[in-house]
Amino acid sequence: MNKISQLLIEYLRVSSISFELDEHFLRELSKITTFKKYPKNTVLVQEGEYCQSLFIIKKGLLRRYTLHEGKDITLEFALEDDFIASIYSIITGRKTVDFIQTLEDSEVLIIQVEDMKKLNIDSQKSLLIGQELRNNYFLKLENRILSLQNDSAKKRYADLVANQPTIIQRASLGQIASYLGMTQENLSRIRRMVKD
Amino acid sequence: MNKISQLLIEYLRVSSISFELDEHFLRELSKITTFKKYPKNTVLVQEGEYCQSLFIIKKGLLRRYTLHEGKDITLEFALEDDFIASIYSIITGRKTVDFIQTLEDSEVLIIQVEDMKKLNIDSQKSLLIGQELRNNYFLKLENRILSLQNDSAKKRYADLVANQPTIIQRASLGQIASYLGMTQENLSRIRRMVKD
DNA sequence: ATTCCTTTTTGATAAATATCAAAGGGTTTG
DNA sequence: CAAACCCTTTGATATTTATCAAAAAGGAAT
């Protein structure tokens, strides 16, 4: 068993995927998986690219963002044992409208989704995994919508502190503020209020 | 070919599903599909139920909503040839936290997702359909997030008018306002401003 | 039409958030 | 060390949005 299989197994154990994957499947999957290290602030994916890559984060912190009317808007943070991708591009086959960058020195596993079709594996199994990934993602998005739709800026910040406390320390104020749908000045003031 | 098959075929043709379904598949699917009419303001699904139903709307308008801190919050509208469901409950198998109601006299096809497992069909095919439904849904949610995260109330309203103009006429002000994440007083004023 | 009920609009005011400009605090770099 | 840079904080003000209360406008039933 090679290093990449090992890392994949670790990922599957830690992540919310409830699947038991057999050795054969893992061996096949590891064939199309690469392991890479990137320094802080590296842009892995850029607007306008056709991006079918799935990044599984073994170490570090990544961010997906877009330019909405010229402004840099954070769409998503992804920590150790999360994955991140331009799902829009994977689904539609069109050029991505997002960027993905590292916010820290990071180590990732990269899987080209299109390569999965070439594997000698049970296609049903990979469909089921895809289904589970989509399900998890969906639950995240629904919560995010409810929060943006109804909660005050203060509440949204408090929820982020409660649910993803390390992001507060590891990302910049502006990146967090845009993720929460507010200006960085407002977030700065909220943060001060909460501290006291 | 019975009436339900007919309706299913129509749905598949009109909706964004890019699938060609063979007769066998349709015949099987129609076995577990029922057709029902409901008068306006009927609650089809209630918080606390285990709900595995998928509603395909042939006529009318439905709304999914939840009680968030006591307030009625619209999560989704669904028109003719949309589908609507408590996807949370389907995914997690837990009790739903949402309600689904008709806003007009409506006609729907109902499929119990759990029944699909019993069908004598190519399971790969049904996985692929599920995948496509999830993909479409995902794209909707991403747009919704971007809008709630960045746009002003005025812009959110304008986008709704542009993208789902009939909802403006068919749902009540309060239902639309909560969907857009604002108070109904604010929406009332915005609407007046836009008219002039 | 009259009553009753619900929804929408309006008004006055308060609170939340954005904007713009400048100052402060670090860190890196020459 | 000073200069340059980036990020964060602070201040003053404007804008947006929410809140609360009441009036107006529609609909449905009698």
mmCIF file of all heavy atoms in Angstrom, chain A residues 63-95:
data_model
loop_
_atom_site.group_PDB
_atom_site.id
_atom_site.type_symbol
_atom_site.label_atom_id
_atom_site.label_comp_id
_atom_site.label_asym_id
_atom_site.label_seq_id
_atom_site.Cartn_x
_atom_site.Cartn_y
_atom_site.Cartn_z
ATOM 1 N N ARG A 63 -9.211 28.433 0.311
ATOM 2 C CA ARG A 63 -10.364 29.327 0.200
ATOM 3 C C ARG A 63 -10.836 29.348 -1.250
ATOM 4 O O ARG A 63 -10.034 29.404 -2.170
ATOM 5 C CB ARG A 63 -9.946 30.741 0.609
ATOM 6 C CG ARG A 63 -11.034 31.782 0.484
ATOM 7 C CD ARG A 63 -10.542 33.121 1.009
ATOM 8 N NE ARG A 63 -9.758 33.845 0.035
ATOM 9 C CZ ARG A 63 -10.164 34.953 -0.617
ATOM 10 N NH1 ARG A 63 -11.358 35.459 -0.358
ATOM 11 N NH2 ARG A 63 -9.401 35.558 -1.487
ATOM 12 N N ARG A 64 -12.124 29.302 -1.423
ATOM 13 C CA ARG A 64 -12.699 29.481 -2.754
ATOM 14 C C ARG A 64 -13.362 30.845 -2.769
ATOM 15 O O ARG A 64 -14.038 31.221 -1.820
ATOM 16 C CB ARG A 64 -13.718 28.385 -3.050
ATOM 17 C CG ARG A 64 -14.323 28.441 -4.444
ATOM 18 C CD ARG A 64 -15.036 27.129 -4.787
ATOM 19 N NE ARG A 64 -16.187 26.900 -3.959
ATOM 20 C CZ ARG A 64 -17.430 27.296 -4.266
ATOM 21 N NH1 ARG A 64 -17.652 27.931 -5.396
ATOM 22 N NH2 ARG A 64 -18.428 27.052 -3.460
ATOM 23 N N TYR A 65 -13.154 31.595 -3.824
ATOM 24 C CA TYR A 65 -13.737 32.934 -3.882
ATOM 25 C C TYR A 65 -14.069 33.305 -5.302
ATOM 26 O O TYR A 65 -13.664 32.631 -6.251
ATOM 27 C CB TYR A 65 -12.803 33.962 -3.243
ATOM 28 C CG TYR A 65 -11.466 34.128 -3.918
ATOM 29 C CD1 TYR A 65 -11.213 35.202 -4.769
ATOM 30 C CD2 TYR A 65 -10.435 33.213 -3.703
ATOM 31 C CE1 TYR A 65 -9.975 35.364 -5.384
ATOM 32 C CE2 TYR A 65 -9.199 33.362 -4.310
ATOM 33 C CZ TYR A 65 -8.974 34.440 -5.150
ATOM 34 O OH TYR A 65 -7.752 34.577 -5.756
ATOM 35 N N THR A 66 -14.814 34.376 -5.442
ATOM 36 C CA THR A 66 -15.201 34.825 -6.769
ATOM 37 C C THR A 66 -15.140 36.335 -6.812
ATOM 38 O O THR A 66 -15.060 36.997 -5.774
ATOM 39 C CB THR A 66 -16.620 34.320 -7.129
ATOM 40 O OG1 THR A 66 -16.835 34.472 -8.519
ATOM 41 C CG2 THR A 66 -17.689 35.077 -6.362
ATOM 42 N N LEU A 67 -15.155 36.876 -7.997
ATOM 43 C CA LEU A 67 -15.211 38.331 -8.126
ATOM 44 C C LEU A 67 -16.636 38.709 -8.503
ATOM 45 O O LEU A 67 -17.098 38.449 -9.604
ATOM 46 C CB LEU A 67 -14.213 38.814 -9.178
ATOM 47 C CG LEU A 67 -12.746 38.567 -8.804
ATOM 48 C CD1 LEU A 67 -11.809 39.054 -9.904
ATOM 49 C CD2 LEU A 67 -12.394 39.243 -7.477
ATOM 50 N N HIS A 68 -17.331 39.286 -7.543
ATOM 51 C CA HIS A 68 -18.736 39.663 -7.720
ATOM 52 C C HIS A 68 -18.770 41.176 -7.819
ATOM 53 O O HIS A 68 -18.536 41.873 -6.842
ATOM 54 C CB HIS A 68 -19.541 39.157 -6.519
ATOM 55 C CG HIS A 68 -21.023 39.349 -6.635
ATOM 56 N ND1 HIS A 68 -21.810 38.591 -7.472
ATOM 57 C CD2 HIS A 68 -21.874 40.210 -6.013
ATOM 58 C CE1 HIS A 68 -23.078 38.974 -7.358
ATOM 59 N NE2 HIS A 68 -23.135 39.956 -6.478
ATOM 60 N N GLU A 69 -19.049 41.666 -9.012
ATOM 61 C CA GLU A 69 -19.009 43.108 -9.260
ATOM 62 C C GLU A 69 -17.678 43.708 -8.800
ATOM 63 O O GLU A 69 -17.646 44.727 -8.097
ATOM 64 C CB GLU A 69 -20.191 43.788 -8.578
ATOM 65 C CG GLU A 69 -21.520 43.398 -9.251
ATOM 66 C CD GLU A 69 -22.731 43.739 -8.397
ATOM 67 O OE1 GLU A 69 -22.557 44.415 -7.377
ATOM 68 O OE2 GLU A 69 -23.840 43.291 -8.754
ATOM 69 N N GLY A 70 -16.623 43.026 -9.173
ATOM 70 C CA GLY A 70 -15.289 43.538 -8.878
ATOM 71 C C GLY A 70 -14.768 43.249 -7.485
ATOM 72 O O GLY A 70 -13.576 43.374 -7.225
ATOM 73 N N LYS A 71 -15.664 42.819 -6.589
ATOM 74 C CA LYS A 71 -15.222 42.568 -5.214
ATOM 75 C C LYS A 71 -14.867 41.111 -4.993
ATOM 76 O O LYS A 71 -15.557 40.215 -5.477
ATOM 77 C CB LYS A 71 -16.340 42.946 -4.235
ATOM 78 C CG LYS A 71 -16.394 44.431 -3.933
ATOM 79 C CD LYS A 71 -17.426 44.680 -2.834
ATOM 80 C CE LYS A 71 -18.111 46.021 -3.030
ATOM 81 N NZ LYS A 71 -19.389 46.135 -2.325
ATOM 82 N N ASP A 72 -13.834 40.895 -4.225
ATOM 83 C CA ASP A 72 -13.404 39.556 -3.834
ATOM 84 C C ASP A 72 -14.337 39.023 -2.756
ATOM 85 O O ASP A 72 -14.394 39.555 -1.653
ATOM 86 C CB ASP A 72 -11.955 39.648 -3.326
ATOM 87 C CG ASP A 72 -11.464 38.349 -2.701
ATOM 88 O OD1 ASP A 72 -12.267 37.606 -2.106
ATOM 89 O OD2 ASP A 72 -10.262 38.083 -2.805
ATOM 90 N N ILE A 73 -15.084 37.994 -3.110
ATOM 91 C CA ILE A 73 -16.085 37.438 -2.194
ATOM 92 C C ILE A 73 -15.732 36.004 -1.846
ATOM 93 O O ILE A 73 -15.705 35.139 -2.731
ATOM 94 C CB ILE A 73 -17.470 37.433 -2.856
ATOM 95 C CG1 ILE A 73 -17.878 38.835 -3.293
ATOM 96 C CG2 ILE A 73 -18.501 36.822 -1.932
ATOM 97 C CD1 ILE A 73 -18.156 39.775 -2.175
ATOM 98 N N THR A 74 -15.483 35.744 -0.579
ATOM 99 C CA THR A 74 -15.199 34.374 -0.153
ATOM 100 C C THR A 74 -16.462 33.539 -0.195
ATOM 101 O O THR A 74 -17.493 33.928 0.359
ATOM 102 C CB THR A 74 -14.664 34.353 1.288
ATOM 103 O OG1 THR A 74 -13.481 35.138 1.354
ATOM 104 C CG2 THR A 74 -14.346 32.925 1.722
ATOM 105 N N LEU A 75 -16.388 32.380 -0.855
ATOM 106 C CA LEU A 75 -17.550 31.497 -0.927
ATOM 107 C C LEU A 75 -17.437 30.347 0.059
ATOM 108 O O LEU A 75 -18.436 29.780 0.484
ATOM 109 C CB LEU A 75 -17.675 30.933 -2.345
ATOM 110 C CG LEU A 75 -17.893 31.983 -3.433
ATOM 111 C CD1 LEU A 75 -17.792 31.353 -4.805
ATOM 112 C CD2 LEU A 75 -19.238 32.658 -3.245
ATOM 113 N N GLU A 76 -16.212 30.020 0.427
ATOM 114 C CA GLU A 76 -16.023 28.777 1.177
ATOM 115 C C GLU A 76 -14.602 28.725 1.736
ATOM 116 O O GLU A 76 -13.653 29.138 1.073
ATOM 117 C CB GLU A 76 -16.208 27.628 0.186
ATOM 118 C CG GLU A 76 -16.296 26.276 0.746
ATOM 119 C CD GLU A 76 -16.489 25.238 -0.377
ATOM 120 O OE1 GLU A 76 -16.547 25.627 -1.573
ATOM 121 O OE2 GLU A 76 -16.563 24.067 -0.056
ATOM 122 N N PHE A 77 -14.475 28.233 2.943
ATOM 123 C CA PHE A 77 -13.175 27.872 3.487
ATOM 124 C C PHE A 77 -13.121 26.359 3.586
ATOM 125 O O PHE A 77 -14.144 25.706 3.803
ATOM 126 C CB PHE A 77 -12.986 28.455 4.891
ATOM 127 C CG PHE A 77 -12.910 29.952 4.930
ATOM 128 C CD1 PHE A 77 -13.967 30.707 5.416
ATOM 129 C CD2 PHE A 77 -11.770 30.620 4.501
ATOM 130 C CE1 PHE A 77 -13.900 32.093 5.459
ATOM 131 C CE2 PHE A 77 -11.684 32.011 4.542
ATOM 132 C CZ PHE A 77 -12.761 32.739 5.027
ATOM 133 N N ALA A 78 -11.937 25.795 3.455
ATOM 134 C CA ALA A 78 -11.829 24.348 3.616
ATOM 135 C C ALA A 78 -10.556 24.023 4.397
ATOM 136 O O ALA A 78 -9.462 24.468 4.050
ATOM 137 C CB ALA A 78 -11.812 23.657 2.263
ATOM 138 N N LEU A 79 -10.757 23.269 5.457
ATOM 139 C CA LEU A 79 -9.688 22.916 6.390
ATOM 140 C C LEU A 79 -9.212 21.490 6.165
ATOM 141 O O LEU A 79 -9.703 20.796 5.281
ATOM 142 C CB LEU A 79 -10.237 22.985 7.820
ATOM 143 C CG LEU A 79 -10.653 24.349 8.329
ATOM 144 C CD1 LEU A 79 -11.573 24.186 9.530
ATOM 145 C CD2 LEU A 79 -9.404 25.117 8.718
ATOM 146 N N GLU A 80 -8.332 21.059 7.013
ATOM 147 C CA GLU A 80 -7.855 19.683 6.996
ATOM 148 C C GLU A 80 -9.040 18.702 6.924
ATOM 149 O O GLU A 80 -10.005 18.825 7.685
ATOM 150 C CB GLU A 80 -7.059 19.371 8.283
ATOM 151 C CG GLU A 80 -5.682 19.971 8.329
ATOM 152 C CD GLU A 80 -5.666 21.410 8.857
ATOM 153 O OE1 GLU A 80 -6.751 21.935 9.169
ATOM 154 O OE2 GLU A 80 -4.563 21.989 8.937
ATOM 155 N N ASP A 81 -8.925 17.751 6.043
ATOM 156 C CA ASP A 81 -9.927 16.709 5.861
ATOM 157 C C ASP A 81 -11.278 17.206 5.375
ATOM 158 O O ASP A 81 -12.291 16.532 5.501
ATOM 159 C CB ASP A 81 -10.068 15.853 7.130
ATOM 160 C CG ASP A 81 -8.813 15.009 7.323
ATOM 161 O OD1 ASP A 81 -8.370 14.379 6.359
ATOM 162 O OD2 ASP A 81 -8.259 15.009 8.435
ATOM 163 N N ASP A 82 -11.280 18.415 4.833
ATOM 164 C CA ASP A 82 -12.372 18.825 3.976
ATOM 165 C C ASP A 82 -11.942 18.598 2.535
ATOM 166 O O ASP A 82 -10.776 18.344 2.267
ATOM 167 C CB ASP A 82 -12.639 20.339 4.098
ATOM 168 C CG ASP A 82 -13.512 20.680 5.267
ATOM 169 O OD1 ASP A 82 -14.258 19.805 5.726
ATOM 170 O OD2 ASP A 82 -13.433 21.830 5.719
ATOM 171 N N PHE A 83 -12.887 18.736 1.624
ATOM 172 C CA PHE A 83 -12.465 18.844 0.234
ATOM 173 C C PHE A 83 -12.999 20.159 -0.326
ATOM 174 O O PHE A 83 -13.900 20.780 0.231
ATOM 175 C CB PHE A 83 -12.942 17.661 -0.607
ATOM 176 C CG PHE A 83 -14.389 17.688 -0.925
ATOM 177 C CD1 PHE A 83 -14.857 18.337 -2.056
ATOM 178 C CD2 PHE A 83 -15.303 17.064 -0.088
ATOM 179 C CE1 PHE A 83 -16.213 18.377 -2.342
ATOM 180 C CE2 PHE A 83 -16.662 17.106 -0.369
ATOM 181 C CZ PHE A 83 -17.109 17.761 -1.500
ATOM 182 N N ILE A 84 -12.401 20.562 -1.401
ATOM 183 C CA ILE A 84 -12.839 21.806 -2.031
ATOM 184 C C ILE A 84 -12.693 21.640 -3.531
ATOM 185 O O ILE A 84 -11.801 20.922 -4.001
ATOM 186 C CB ILE A 84 -12.037 23.008 -1.492
ATOM 187 C CG1 ILE A 84 -12.704 24.336 -1.877
ATOM 188 C CG2 ILE A 84 -10.590 22.972 -1.980
ATOM 189 C CD1 ILE A 84 -12.131 25.528 -1.100
ATOM 190 N N ALA A 85 -13.590 22.268 -4.268
ATOM 191 C CA ALA A 85 -13.565 22.145 -5.717
ATOM 192 C C ALA A 85 -14.434 23.233 -6.319
ATOM 193 O O ALA A 85 -15.282 23.807 -5.636
ATOM 194 C CB ALA A 85 -14.090 20.775 -6.138
ATOM 195 N N SER A 86 -14.227 23.481 -7.583
ATOM 196 C CA SER A 86 -15.154 24.350 -8.285
ATOM 197 C C SER A 86 -16.285 23.468 -8.790
ATOM 198 O O SER A 86 -16.290 22.999 -9.923
ATOM 199 C CB SER A 86 -14.491 25.038 -9.464
ATOM 200 O OG SER A 86 -15.503 25.688 -10.214
ATOM 201 N N ILE A 87 -17.215 23.219 -7.917
ATOM 202 C CA ILE A 87 -18.244 22.242 -8.232
ATOM 203 C C ILE A 87 -19.059 22.699 -9.425
ATOM 204 O O ILE A 87 -19.499 21.898 -10.233
ATOM 205 C CB ILE A 87 -19.123 21.993 -6.992
ATOM 206 C CG1 ILE A 87 -18.215 21.422 -5.896
ATOM 207 C CG2 ILE A 87 -20.239 21.011 -7.320
ATOM 208 C CD1 ILE A 87 -18.944 20.852 -4.733
ATOM 209 N N TYR A 88 -19.221 23.990 -9.548
ATOM 210 C CA TYR A 88 -19.919 24.520 -10.715
ATOM 211 C C TYR A 88 -19.303 23.996 -12.009
ATOM 212 O O TYR A 88 -19.990 23.516 -12.907
ATOM 213 C CB TYR A 88 -19.881 26.051 -10.704
ATOM 214 C CG TYR A 88 -20.415 26.671 -11.973
ATOM 215 C CD1 TYR A 88 -21.774 26.905 -12.122
ATOM 216 C CD2 TYR A 88 -19.570 27.008 -13.021
ATOM 217 C CE1 TYR A 88 -22.282 27.465 -13.281
ATOM 218 C CE2 TYR A 88 -20.063 27.560 -14.194
ATOM 219 C CZ TYR A 88 -21.421 27.789 -14.323
ATOM 220 O OH TYR A 88 -21.913 28.335 -15.473
ATOM 221 N N SER A 89 -17.997 24.076 -12.086
ATOM 222 C CA SER A 89 -17.307 23.648 -13.294
ATOM 223 C C SER A 89 -17.407 22.133 -13.489
ATOM 224 O O SER A 89 -17.587 21.647 -14.601
ATOM 225 C CB SER A 89 -15.837 24.086 -13.230
ATOM 226 O OG SER A 89 -15.198 23.853 -14.450
ATOM 227 N N ILE A 90 -17.320 21.400 -12.414
ATOM 228 C CA ILE A 90 -17.423 19.944 -12.508
ATOM 229 C C ILE A 90 -18.811 19.539 -12.997
ATOM 230 O O ILE A 90 -18.967 18.691 -13.869
ATOM 231 C CB ILE A 90 -17.129 19.286 -11.134
ATOM 232 C CG1 ILE A 90 -15.658 19.494 -10.770
ATOM 233 C CG2 ILE A 90 -17.482 17.800 -11.152
ATOM 234 C CD1 ILE A 90 -15.271 18.955 -9.412
ATOM 235 N N ILE A 91 -19.814 20.180 -12.456
ATOM 236 C CA ILE A 91 -21.185 19.828 -12.810
ATOM 237 C C ILE A 91 -21.525 20.231 -14.235
ATOM 238 O O ILE A 91 -22.102 19.471 -15.002
ATOM 239 C CB ILE A 91 -22.179 20.522 -11.854
ATOM 240 C CG1 ILE A 91 -22.160 19.840 -10.484
ATOM 241 C CG2 ILE A 91 -23.587 20.507 -12.426
ATOM 242 C CD1 ILE A 91 -23.088 20.485 -9.485
ATOM 243 N N THR A 92 -21.190 21.466 -14.577
ATOM 244 C CA THR A 92 -21.654 21.988 -15.851
ATOM 245 C C THR A 92 -20.681 21.721 -16.993
ATOM 246 O O THR A 92 -21.062 21.821 -18.156
ATOM 247 C CB THR A 92 -21.853 23.517 -15.774
ATOM 248 O OG1 THR A 92 -20.575 24.126 -15.535
ATOM 249 C CG2 THR A 92 -22.823 23.891 -14.684
ATOM 250 N N GLY A 93 -19.432 21.433 -16.651
ATOM 251 C CA GLY A 93 -18.428 21.290 -17.683
ATOM 252 C C GLY A 93 -17.991 22.611 -18.286
ATOM 253 O O GLY A 93 -17.222 22.653 -19.241
ATOM 254 N N ARG A 94 -18.476 23.693 -17.712
ATOM 255 C CA ARG A 94 -18.082 25.011 -18.216
ATOM 256 C C ARG A 94 -16.857 25.547 -17.470
ATOM 257 O O ARG A 94 -16.438 24.998 -16.469
ATOM 258 C CB ARG A 94 -19.230 26.011 -18.011
ATOM 259 C CG ARG A 94 -20.473 25.588 -18.732
ATOM 260 C CD ARG A 94 -21.361 26.790 -19.019
ATOM 261 N NE ARG A 94 -22.690 26.313 -19.368
ATOM 262 C CZ ARG A 94 -23.799 26.591 -18.679
ATOM 263 N NH1 ARG A 94 -23.744 27.386 -17.639
ATOM 264 N NH2 ARG A 94 -24.965 26.102 -19.043
ATOM 265 N N LYS A 95 -16.369 26.646 -17.957
ATOM 266 C CA LYS A 95 -15.259 27.310 -17.269
ATOM 267 C C LYS A 95 -15.707 27.733 -15.885
ATOM 268 O O LYS A 95 -16.828 28.192 -15.698
ATOM 269 C CB LYS A 95 -14.831 28.560 -18.044
ATOM 270 C CG LYS A 95 -14.178 28.280 -19.370
ATOM 271 C CD LYS A 95 -13.908 29.584 -20.103
ATOM 272 C CE LYS A 95 -13.366 29.308 -21.501
ATOM 273 N NZ LYS A 95 -13.369 30.519 -22.342
#
